[in-house]
Amino acid sequence: MAVTIGRLLRFIRSIFVPTLTVFSFSCLLTFFFILYQPTHGPGDVQRLGWQSWDVISPIRPAQTPGNTESAAPDNGSPAHDTPAHDGVDWWNVTKPTSPAVDSASLPLDVWSPLLPHDTGCACAVSEIAVVRCMFDMRLADVCSPVSSKQEDAIKGKWVLVAPDLNVQAGMWHLHLYYRRTRRLDVPLITDLMLLPAKEQPPPAVGTWTKAPLSVRDGVMRTKPLFLWYRTSKTSAEMTAEERQNIITEVDVLYGDGEPWFGFEKIPRATQEAIPPRRENTWITYRRGVKTPPPAPPLHFSHDGKFKIMQVADLHFSVSSGPCRDTDAPCPNPADGGAYNITDTLVGRALDAERPDLVVFSGDQLNGQGSSWDAKSVLAKFAHAVIARGIPWAAVFGNHDDEDERSGGMRRDQVRM
C-alpha cells in the first residue's frame, strides 16, 4: 500500500511542473493578447473621445445688410439666415446654419466613416492593404501590416477597417487596412478598382498599385479578386477641385442596401450572394468631404398645424428579406425583395401626407440573427426621409438591441 501511494505521489510530482508551465504560459498569452490594452494613462478615463480637448464655442452667422435676425439669440433658440416674411412659413429656413467642423482636429489613425475629413488639409488615404488574420480583430489588433516609424510619419499609421470581409464565409478573418495623412508631399489615392487575377486597370495618369492579397482570400470555390488603387499627385500639386476627388475614407457594406451618405460602392462584390446563406459584400469609399445636409428647424405652419408621421416596425435585415403578412406579389431577393416593397410603401406615404417630422418608433432592425451587421441595416431604414429632406428621429424597440454575432448592436442608431 505504501509503495502504491509513493508511486502516485511521484507521478503527481512529475506532471506538476509541465502542467504548471503550460497553465502559466496560457495565462500570459491571454493577458497580452486579450486583457492587456495599452492606454495613454489615467487621462483616458476622463476623455469623452478624440474631440474632448477641442475648444467649443457657438457658431454665429455673419451679419448681412437688411438681415436683422441673422445673429443667433442667446436664449438657445435656433439661428436663421433669413428673417420670416410673407409667403414663408414661420422659421422656414432655406439655408439652415450648421456648425463648422475643424477637420484639423479629426484623428487620422481612427476608423470612423462618419467623420468629415476635410480635403482642404489633405486628410486623405495614401496606401491600402488586404490582410488575413487567424484572430478576431475585435479582441486585439495583432495582424496589422509591418511598418516603420519613418513610414508612419510620412504616409500615416495603418488603420483597421473593422468590418470583416470574410464574416459570412472563409477559413480566416480578412480585413482592409489603410494609411491616411495630412502631408502635402505624399501622393494620394484618387481611384479604386476590383479586378480578377489576370486583368489590369486601363492606362491612366498616375500609378496603379495592386494589393498582393485577394479580397476573397480564404473563401473556397471562388475566383480571386484583387484591389487596385491609383495614386497620382500630391496635395500640394492638386487644385481645390482635384482635392474633392481624393479618397478620404473606406468602409465595408453587407447586403444590397444603399451605402452611407457620401459613399460609393466599388462595382464588383467581394463576396457574391448565395441566398439564404450569405449576402453580397461590398467595399465602399468616400471622395472628398460629403457632409450630410442639416435638417431644417421644426416649425408650425401659418394655420398652426404640425404633422408628425409615425413609422413603426420596419424590421429591416442585412438581406432584402422574404415578404411576410402581405398578399402583394413579392419580388425576388435580387430585385429588392421585401425591402423594396417596404421602402416603396414608406415613400408613397411620405409623398401623400407630406409630414413635418417623421418618428421611427422602434424595431427598425429585425434582429433574430438577420441584422447581424447593424451599420449596414441602419443605412436602409431612413433612406426615404433623407432623400426627401424631411426631419426625422428614432426611438428604440426590443429588436434594435439584440445581441447578434456582430457583438451586439449597442444602440448604433444614436451614431447616425
Side-chain angles (χ1 to χ4, degrees), residues 128-132 165 174-177 211-215 217 227:
I128 300 179
V130 181
V131 177
R132 75 164 69 101
L165 293 173
L174 194 67
H175 286 271
L176 294 174
Y177 279 82
L213 200 63
S214 167
V215 295
D217 183 67
L227 177 65

Side-chain angles (χ1 to χ4, degrees), residues 6 44 107 128 142 162 179 232 264 357:
D44 273 1
I128 300 179
V142 296
R179 299 181 190 266
S232 54
E264 308 171 40
L357 174 68

Side-chain angles (χ1 to χ4, degrees), residues 157-235:
K157 297 180 180 179
W158 284 111
V159 179
L160 168 67
V161 178
D164 187 354
L165 293 173
N166 280 357
V167 70
Q168 301 178 91
M171 296 182 290
W172 41 71
H173 302 279
L174 194 67
H175 286 271
L176 294 174
Y177 279 82
Y178 64 75
R179 299 181 190 266
R180 185 162 47 200
T181 181
R182 288 193 180 98
R183 289 181 62 113
L184 303 179
D185 57 348
V186 176
L188 303 176
I189 297 178
T190 57
D191 205 0
L192 298 175
M193 189 175 292
L194 288 172
L195 294 175
K198 296 182 179 180
E199 292 188 22
Q200 292 189 351
V205 177
T207 303
W208 282 99
T209 303
K210 176 183 177 183
L213 200 63
S214 167
V215 295
R216 294 173 176 171
D217 183 67
V219 182
M220 303 297 291
R221 296 185 295 276
T222 58
K223 296 181 179 180
L225 191 66
F226 292 90
L227 177 65
W228 291 76
Y229 59 89
R230 179 163 65 97
T231 55
S232 54
K233 299 179 181 179
T234 65
S235 178

Side-chain angles (χ1 to χ4, degrees), residues 16-59:
F16 177 76
V17 174
T19 302
L20 181 62
T21 302
V22 172
F23 178 77
S24 301
F25 186 67
S26 300
C27 292
L28 189 64
L29 291 178
T30 302
F31 172 76
F32 277 111
F33 289 103
I34 298 179
L35 301 180
Y36 175 68
Q37 298 294 332
T39 69
H40 298 288
D44 273 1
V45 179
Q46 303 172 8
R47 292 192 298 176
L48 297 177
W50 55 267
Q51 76 278 39
S52 57
W53 307 122
D54 284 358
V55 177
I56 301 176
S57 60
I59 305 297

Side-chain angles (χ1 to χ4, degrees), residues 46-294:
Q46 303 172 8
R47 292 192 298 176
L48 297 177
W50 55 267
Q51 76 278 39
S52 57
W53 307 122
D54 284 358
V55 177
I56 301 176
S57 60
I59 305 297
R60 296 173 181 266
Q63 190 81 15
T64 57
N67 183 4
T68 59
E69 299 181 21
S70 59
D74 294 331
N75 59 4
S77 60
H80 312 294
D81 287 345
T82 57
H85 54 78
D86 292 339
V88 179
D89 285 345
W90 303 338
W91 298 349
N92 185 5
V93 180
T94 56
K95 295 181 180 179
T97 303
S98 59
V101 177
D102 180 12
S103 59
S105 71
L106 300 183
L108 297 179
D109 56 353
V110 173
W111 178 76
S112 185
L114 300 186
L115 291 183
H117 289 89
D118 189 355
T119 55
C121 64
C123 307
V125 178
S126 59
E127 188 175 355
I128 300 179
V130 181
V131 177
R132 75 164 69 101
C133 191
M134 300 299 176
F135 300 95
D136 190 343
M137 295 296 210
R138 292 174 299 179
L139 302 178
D141 185 1
V142 296
C143 298
S144 59
V146 178
S147 182
S148 65
K149 292 185 177 180
Q150 182 180 7
E151 290 175 324
D152 290 347
I154 296 174
K155 295 183 178 180
K157 297 180 180 179
W158 284 111
V159 179
L160 168 67
V161 178
D164 187 354
L165 293 173
N166 280 357
V167 70
Q168 301 178 91
M171 296 182 290
W172 41 71
H173 302 279
L174 194 67
H175 286 271
L176 294 174
Y177 279 82
Y178 64 75
R179 299 181 190 266
R180 185 162 47 200
T181 181
R182 288 193 180 98
R183 289 181 62 113
L184 303 179
D185 57 348
V186 176
L188 303 176
I189 297 178
T190 57
D191 205 0
L192 298 175
M193 189 175 292
L194 288 172
L195 294 175
K198 296 182 179 180
E199 292 188 22
Q200 292 189 351
V205 177
T207 303
W208 282 99
T209 303
K210 176 183 177 183
L213 200 63
S214 167
V215 295
R216 294 173 176 171
D217 183 67
V219 182
M220 303 297 291
R221 296 185 295 276
T222 58
K223 296 181 179 180
L225 191 66
F226 292 90
L227 177 65
W228 291 76
Y229 59 89
R230 179 163 65 97
T231 55
S232 54
K233 299 179 181 179
T234 65
S235 178
E237 298 169 338
M238 291 182 179
T239 64
E241 183 178 356
E242 288 174 328
R243 288 195 188 101
Q244 290 301 316
N245 289 321
I246 57 179
I247 308 298
T248 55
E249 187 58 271
V250 179
D251 195 5
V252 174
L253 177 73
Y254 304 106
D256 292 320
E258 293 292 327
W260 284 97
F261 180 86
F263 281 77
E264 308 171 40
K265 292 179 182 178
I266 300 181
R268 283 188 171 96
T270 62
Q271 287 189 23
E272 296 179 348
I274 305 178
R277 290 193 294 119
R278 75 183 188 207
E279 303 300 322
N280 286 322
T281 302
W282 307 89
I283 296 176
T284 64
Y285 61 94
R286 183 184 63 208
R287 292 184 182 274
V289 178
K290 304 291 193 303
T291 305

